[in-house]
Amino acid sequence: DELPAPLPDYAERDAEEIRERIRWAGIVGLGGATFPTSVKVNPGPRQKIDTLILNGAECEPYITCDDRLMRERAERIVAGLKILRRLLEPTQCLIGTEDNKPEAAAALRQALQAADQADVQVIEVPTKYPSGGERQLIKLLTGKEVPSQGIPAQIGILVQNIATAAAIADAVLDGK
C-alpha cells in the first residue's frame, strides 16, 4: 500500500479529514488505555473542550519512555499539540510533567517557544504514583474532578499522552 500524502497545510483542512488521517494511521492512546484517538478527538458539536492536557507524567514508577521522548523529540510533541489545537480549539493547553524530569520540561518549553506556542504552560507535578493517571493529573493541573462514572470531556477537558501527540504529528505531517 502507498502512504498518503503529508498534510503540512492541516490548518486549512477540514477537521474531519484530519481525524480520518488519525483513524487511518491506527493511532490509539499511547499512555496505556489504547482508546482510539480519532474517536477521542471528536467530542461532538455539543461538547466544547476548554482545556487540552498533554500527559508527560509516566503512569508507573521506573518507566522512562515519555521522559526520553520529551527530551529527544519535543518539537514533534509540540507539532502534535498544534494539530490537536486545530481540531479541538481549546481555550488553554497544559503539559504535565513530573518534577524529577527538568530536562524534559526544559526541552518542551524550548520547543513551545520555537513553535510560537508560548501560551502553553508546562507544569511540573510531584513525582508520586499515580500522578500520571488521567484523573489524578486533571485534578493536579486544574483542580477539577472528573465525575466517577464520567469522562473528562464532560467537564471540558481532553487528555492525550505526549507519545500520542507525537504519533499524530507523524501521521498528519509525514503520512506515516
Side-chain angles (χ1 to χ4, degrees):
D1 287 342
E2 204 170 300
L3 293 177
L7 302 175
D9 60 342
Y10 68 87
E12 284 82 47
R13 296 200 179 235
D14 184 63
E16 189 52 43
E17 183 178 3
I18 299 166
R19 279 193 291 274
E20 173 54 28
R21 173 63 58 92
I22 292 167
R23 187 208 60 75
W24 168 87
I27 298 172
V28 297
L30 295 171
T34 68
F35 189 80
T37 300
S38 62
V39 174
K40 192 171 184 178
V41 298
N42 190 13
R46 289 183 288 196
Q47 185 55 64
K48 170 74 176 123
I49 298 299
D50 297 310
T51 303
L52 170 63
I53 296 173
L54 291 191
N55 186 350
E58 310 282 3
C59 297
E60 299 286 339
Y62 305 110
I63 295 176
T64 60
C65 58
D66 288 345
D67 180 31
R68 296 309 307 182
L69 185 65
M70 290 183 285
R71 290 186 200 198
E72 297 170 14
R73 298 192 71 217
E75 68 289 330
R76 189 46 45 145
I77 294 166
V78 172
L81 171 78
K82 289 175 71 173
I83 295 165
L84 287 164
R85 287 183 94 169
R86 160 65 182 89
L87 285 174
L88 301 167
E89 300 178 347
T91 54
Q92 73 170 339
C93 296
L94 310 170
I95 302 176
T97 64
E98 291 170 301
D99 61 6
N100 69 345
K101 296 177 175 52
E103 297 92 349
L108 286 169
R109 287 185 180 108
Q110 185 176 3
L112 288 164
Q113 194 71 36
D116 197 26
Q117 298 291 304
D119 61 324
V120 177
Q121 294 180 335
V122 177
I123 302 171
E124 297 174 61
V125 300
T127 305
K128 182 178 176 187
Y129 179 80
S131 295
E134 182 177 66
R135 290 169 183 263
Q136 291 81 0
L137 189 63
I138 289 169
K139 179 71 172 161
L140 286 167
L141 297 180
T142 69
K144 295 180 180 178
E145 289 196 33
V146 179
S148 61
Q149 300 299 317
I151 61 171
Q154 290 174 304
I155 59 170
I157 298 174
L158 191 133
V159 180
Q160 288 289 349
N161 180 272
I162 52 109
T164 308
I168 288 170
D170 289 344
V172 174
L173 300 175
D174 299 335
K176 292 182 180 176

